[in-house]
Amino acid sequence: MSATSVASTATSFPRGTRSWWKCRGRGWWRCLPTWSAWLHGFANIDEIPELIDVVVEKQADIFAFGRYCPTSKDKAHRDTWHVEPSRYRDFLEKCWVKYEQHKDSGTTFNLKEHLWTLFLYEKGLFKIPEGLDNDVIYDGCNCGNCHFTISAEGRLMACRRFDSYVGTVGEELYDVFSGPRMERYREHERFEKCRRCELLRFCRGCPAVAYGYTGNFYAPDPQCWKQV
């Protein structure tokens, strides 16, 4: 992230929060029920836990954050956005403490980050149910499983977070979804690390982030701290 973009973010955030609060105060809350934040590595990892206090104070209905997917132009500046797995796990711990602190606040904390599954599993708060099929995907990243992304140009993508073209809106959607282009994103046995993990059916981290780092959808999640 450049100094210009950091400065822009620092300026736009207060403006955005003021506008959001005015709209909600005028009864337009149904248009603006959520509050999302993007984790941009070293640029703002220490700010997200503090942001949780702000969204609770502002009575946001839902809060979630997602990790940044590096692009080709960013890869020369890895030190500005990469977060080591151990530090990311510590970051989730800080967020979890805040979530527990504010659990009765009225703000719902959406655990959209798939590594929350691993975090809760290690704490004993997520348990693998008994009697499940070993070859069925039950949770985690839904790329290839249950959705498309449609671009403004009518392109269909398996995931909105990286270039994953699978067809166009001019094609029969069922044929695209069940076809070979989409199948490339549900070959779960190809996950280089996750296939050896008991949480394969429930987690798999974020393949889009892995793709942003390596160009390989099935590479290990760069922030996953689990040893397998």
Side-chain angles (χ1 to χ4, degrees):
M1 179 179 279
S2 67
T4 301
S5 59
V6 170
S8 175
T9 300
T11 303
S12 63
F13 179 76
R15 288 204 304 264
T17 55
R18 286 195 299 269
S19 299
W20 179 86
W21 185 242
K22 286 181 181 178
C23 290
R24 188 183 179 96
R26 293 173 181 172
W28 298 345
W29 63 272
R30 292 186 183 276
C31 299
L32 296 162
T34 65
W35 198 318
S36 296
W38 288 106
L39 177 65
H40 199 306
F42 282 113
N44 68 345
I45 189 171
D46 294 325
E47 298 173 5
I48 300 296
E50 297 178 11
L51 179 61
I52 295 170
D53 294 327
V54 176
V55 300
V56 170
E57 177 188 350
K58 299 300 184 182
Q59 301 177 4
D61 296 297
I62 302 173
F63 173 81
F65 63 83
R67 275 179 288 160
Y68 174 71
C69 292
T71 60
S72 58
K73 66 180 181 180
D74 297 322
K75 292 182 180 178
H77 306 285
R78 178 186 171 97
D79 59 322
T80 66
W81 47 260
H82 173 66
V83 177
E84 290 295 327
S86 59
R87 186 179 183 191
Y88 191 67
R89 201 270 177 206
D90 291 343
F91 161 76
L92 292 183
E93 181 70 51
K94 292 177 182 178
C95 290
W96 184 252
V97 169
K98 292 287 187 180
Y99 289 177
E100 289 291 282
Q101 176 185 338
H102 296 300
K103 63 183 179 181
D104 298 321
S105 65
T107 296
T108 297
F109 300 107
N110 188 320
L111 305 183
K112 71 186 293 291
E113 159 61 79
H114 301 306
L115 289 178
W116 278 119
T117 301
L118 170 58
F119 178 87
L120 297 177
Y121 179 69
E122 292 181 341
K123 282 185 169 291
L125 299 175
F126 171 76
K127 299 183 184 298
I128 299 175
E130 297 181 359
L132 299 182
D133 293 331
N134 290 328
D135 59 350
V136 174
I137 297 298
Y138 290 96
D139 205 348
C141 173
N142 281 314
C143 181
N145 295 339
C146 68
H147 62 70
F148 285 124
T149 292
I150 304 177
S151 72
E153 301 81 19
R155 300 171 75 245
L156 299 176
M157 293 176 288
C159 174
R160 64 184 174 81
R161 303 190 69 193
F162 73 105
D163 188 8
S164 52
Y165 172 81
V166 293
T168 72
V169 292
E171 301 175 65
E172 179 61 47
L173 295 185
Y174 176 83
D175 292 340
V176 175
F177 187 82
S178 59
R181 287 171 292 185
M182 198 70 162
E183 192 66 26
R184 295 198 304 258
Y185 300 104
R186 44 182 178 241
E187 298 174 356
H188 301 105
E189 71 282 357
R190 293 182 57 194
F191 279 103
E192 296 175 2
K193 180 179 178 180
C194 300
R195 66 188 179 195
R196 305 191 303 273
C197 178
E198 67 270 29
L199 295 175
L200 171 67
R201 296 171 292 167
F202 310 96
C203 176
R204 301 178 302 289
C206 183
V209 174
Y211 182 90
Y213 272 72
T214 68
N216 177 8
F217 181 80
Y218 293 105
D221 185 309
Q223 276 73 55
C224 178
W225 60 90
K226 193 173 192 300
Q227 300 297 316
V228 297

